[in-house]
Structure formats: structure tokens, C-alpha cells
Amino acid sequence: MASLNVGNLGEYLREQRRSAQLSLRQLAEAAGVSNPYLSQIERGLRKPSAEVLQQVAKALRISAETLYVRAGILDAERDRDEVETRAVILADPSLNDRQKQVLLQIYESFRKENGTGVDVVTDAVTDVVTDAIQDTAADKRGAAGEPSAADGSDADQHDHKPSS
């Protein structure tokens, strides 16, 4: 099988995995991918999707954007401003999670209107940002002792069936 130009990504993933003191099998399990597939990524034989990179980044507790750049999904120079803008919005302590999410959606709609960022990369970055916001909100709810949506006690569920 011919090697794709993703060796830099594979080497980087291997370094990150080793520094996290995880075996290939442990990382594959944590990321929800098969052991052979992850091995092929590390050896530069496979180019993973943005979704797989996001799962691996989450399992390694590193930036998905870094993996996107190394995989050639994000152009570091072209997309740096977008990533920085998103990071500044997410870091603003004066905004709540919902306000941050809405602001990011408005920002993205302006970028699409102006003909920039209309591709899979933008969707992947938006997914990462949305997941980060949801994770932060879930962590805050858990710390405050509030029920989370994961425990099925969300008061806004609309799947209630009347009992007979």
C-alpha cells in the first residue's frame, strides 16, 4: 500500500500517545476506533477523517485543530485567524455558554455569506467548538449538583407519553 502524505501526522500522534503513556490499544479504545486502523494512521498509511481526528484528540486531551493542521485539513496560515477568533470568543468570561454558541453561529454565517469557510473544515471546527461548549456546560452542571441531560432527567424532553 502506498504511503499517503500523512507521515507527519502519524509521527505526531505516536509521540503524543507515548507522552500520554497510552498503548496503541488503549488509545484506539478511548477514541472509539479499531486498533489496526489507528496503527495505519500512525504509520502514515491512512488519512483519517476530521471526525476520527476529533475523537483521537479528545482521547489524548490535545487540540483537534493541531491534528487538522498536521493532517492537511486546516491550512495553518489561512485558518489561524478563524481559530483565534473562536478561541477568544470561547475564552471570554463575561459571556455564558449559550451566548458564546450563538456568537459563533453568527460569526460562521457571516463567513459563509462572504464566501469563506464554506467547507468540511469549518463544519469540523464548529463541531469541536460546540462539543467543547457542551462539555463545559455539562461539567458546570455536574459541579453544581444539577441534573444533566445524560441522566435522562432533562425537564425539556418532549418525548413524554401520557400514561393510560
Side-chain angles (χ1 to χ4, degrees), residues 15 62 104 108:
E15 289 171 17
I62 61 174
L104 288 169
E108 188 56 42

Side-chain angles (χ1 to χ4, degrees), residues 3-90:
S3 178
L4 301 173
N5 191 16
V6 291
N8 188 24
L9 170 66
E11 292 168 17
Y12 180 75
L13 282 175
R14 185 177 293 117
E15 289 171 17
Q16 293 301 309
R17 177 177 58 78
R18 287 180 177 162
S19 70
Q21 299 180 341
L22 292 172
S23 70
L24 190 65
R25 188 172 310 246
Q26 289 170 321
L27 178 57
E29 185 176 319
V33 298
S34 74
N35 189 31
Y37 181 61
L38 185 57
S39 175
Q40 290 173 350
I41 293 169
E42 281 194 0
R43 290 181 289 139
L45 300 175
R46 294 280 184 140
K47 183 173 183 178
S49 68
E51 292 80 16
V52 168
L53 289 174
Q54 180 180 353
Q55 291 169 238
V56 170
K58 191 172 185 177
L60 287 170
R61 298 175 189 239
I62 61 174
S63 164
E65 286 81 6
T66 301
L67 296 183
Y68 295 157
V69 169
R70 290 191 178 264
I73 295 173
L74 278 180
D75 178 341
E77 293 300 317
R78 185 192 68 179
D79 296 314
R80 185 182 70 232
D81 290 341
E82 177 185 359
V83 171
E84 287 176 358
T85 301
R86 291 173 182 279
V88 168
I89 291 169
L90 290 172

